[in-house]
Amino acid sequence: MQKKKNKSLKDVGDEWDLISKERQDAIEQGLDISLLSVTAPWILKHIDKEKPKTVLDVGCGTGYLTSLISQKTNICCGIDISKQSIDIAKNKYGNENTDFFVSSIKDFHSDLLFDCCVSNMVFMSDPEIEQSLKNIYANLKNDGLLYIMITHPCFWPTYWGYQNEEWFNYYNETFIEREFSITLKKDLGIITHIHRSLSQYYNIISSAGFTIELIEEPYPTREININYKYSYPRFMFFKCKKM
């Protein structure tokens, strides 16, 4: 793990291309407890409550969450900058009401304005977060909703173990390169994590035109038969509205 100079969106996409197959294999084997029991169910809970008819999944990866959302909506679209991830998504989860595209939100064009956009564990890897949020805003209907799930800015440095590094300052945006690991599988490949403070996230979201209606710190939605528990939050959820 090391601090790195700023990376481009293409650099980040190339990293996820290299680990997309291993990532999908881990999901199918039930090894990613955080995705399967925390972040995805939490977002689906809000989808069930609001019942949007059209959803855009921004940074959909290999399409697991997109496929679950599509079962609850009329139209669901997943986009990601990783071509390898989208190839897997199309093969595994494509259906009559779900489309997948290789695209950043900046380059995404649709005649449809969406009721809801979802971004699950994406913005900690997005070097263009300000522009991304503005483009999400443009793709939403008036009063449309945005669900954002990120690693918890206050506690993730402790969880990943970089809080005591001499180069780390909580208040500074910092690009960190390390092995991507999930609950039951380690070292899937190198990824870039971008640390931002909670105030940075709040200001960026607000500057894009959104009202933050709700902030939550998700926890497992079911009992897990392994040693998966934590005394502080690992994730943070924002429910935002286009005003």
Side-chain angles (χ1 to χ4, degrees):
M1 177 173 55
Q2 56 185 326
K3 178 181 177 181
K4 300 292 289 187
K5 293 182 179 179
N6 293 8
K7 293 189 178 184
S8 69
L9 201 60
K10 182 183 183 303
D11 293 334
V12 173
D14 290 344
E15 290 173 350
W16 286 99
D17 273 343
L18 293 174
I19 68 171
S20 58
K21 183 181 183 303
E22 290 78 6
R23 171 72 168 146
Q24 179 63 21
D25 288 346
I27 293 171
E28 292 183 13
Q29 294 165 21
L31 302 180
D32 191 342
I33 304 301
S34 294
L35 173 66
L36 300 177
S37 298
V38 185
T39 64
W42 206 269
I43 289 172
L44 292 170
K45 175 181 68 173
H46 284 275
I47 294 286
D48 285 337
K49 182 178 180 181
E50 300 291 343
K51 296 179 171 54
K53 294 181 179 179
T54 56
V55 176
L56 175 63
D57 188 358
V58 179
C60 66
T62 56
Y64 169 78
L65 176 58
T66 322
S67 71
L68 297 179
I69 294 172
S70 73
Q71 298 170 25
K72 303 172 181 292
T73 60
N74 294 341
I75 297 174
C76 191
C77 179
I79 62 173
D80 201 281
I81 58 174
S82 166
K83 181 183 183 301
Q84 298 301 321
S85 295
I86 290 297
D87 286 347
I88 292 170
K90 287 180 177 179
N91 181 56
K92 294 284 185 179
Y93 303 117
N95 58 50
E96 64 277 2
N97 73 327
T98 309
D99 288 317
F100 293 100
F101 300 96
V102 182
S103 179
S104 66
I105 186 62
K106 177 176 65 177
D107 298 321
F108 178 70
H109 302 286
S110 173
D111 295 330
L112 177 68
L113 291 178
F114 293 86
D115 297 322
C116 178
C117 285
V118 169
S119 180
N120 184 36
M121 303 293 282
V122 173
F123 285 136
M124 318 86 58
S125 300
D126 186 353
E128 301 179 3
I129 182 173
E130 293 92 346
Q131 188 61 50
S132 295
L133 281 163
K134 291 176 181 177
N135 286 106
I136 289 174
Y137 187 93
N139 280 278
L140 280 171
K141 296 178 180 178
N142 290 336
D143 294 328
L145 296 173
L146 168 61
Y147 299 148
I148 298 172
M149 185 76 71
I150 58 171
T151 54
H152 201 302
C154 302
F155 299 105
W156 199 256
T158 300
Y159 177 57
W160 258 21
Y162 59 82
Q163 79 279 13
N164 293 323
E165 295 287 347
E166 61 180 15
W167 44 258
F168 176 66
N169 182 321
Y170 172 79
Y171 296 101
N172 294 341
E173 179 180 87
T174 306
F175 285 63
I176 302 165
E177 190 177 83
R178 66 157 281 174
E179 290 279 349
F180 178 63
S181 299
I182 57 177
T183 313
L184 298 177
K185 191 173 180 64
K186 306 302 181 185
D187 300 338
L188 293 171
I190 296 293
I191 63 160
T192 298
H193 170 81
I194 306 170
H195 169 83
R196 298 181 177 100
S197 68
L198 179 55
S199 59
Q200 285 178 299
Y201 277 112
Y202 179 90
N203 292 330
I204 291 169
I205 294 168
S206 299
S207 295
F210 290 99
T211 295
I212 299 174
E213 294 196 326
L214 181 69
I215 296 177
E216 296 177 318
E217 296 167 309
Y219 50 83
T221 56
R222 62 180 175 85
E223 185 176 347
I224 300 170
N225 295 323
I226 62 168
N227 185 25
Y228 183 91
K229 56 185 178 181
Y230 39 87
S231 56
Y232 49 82
R234 291 184 186 174
F235 308 103
M236 179 164 279
F237 172 84
F238 296 87
K239 176 187 174 185
C240 313
K241 178 176 281 191
K242 174 178 177 177
M243 303 302 292

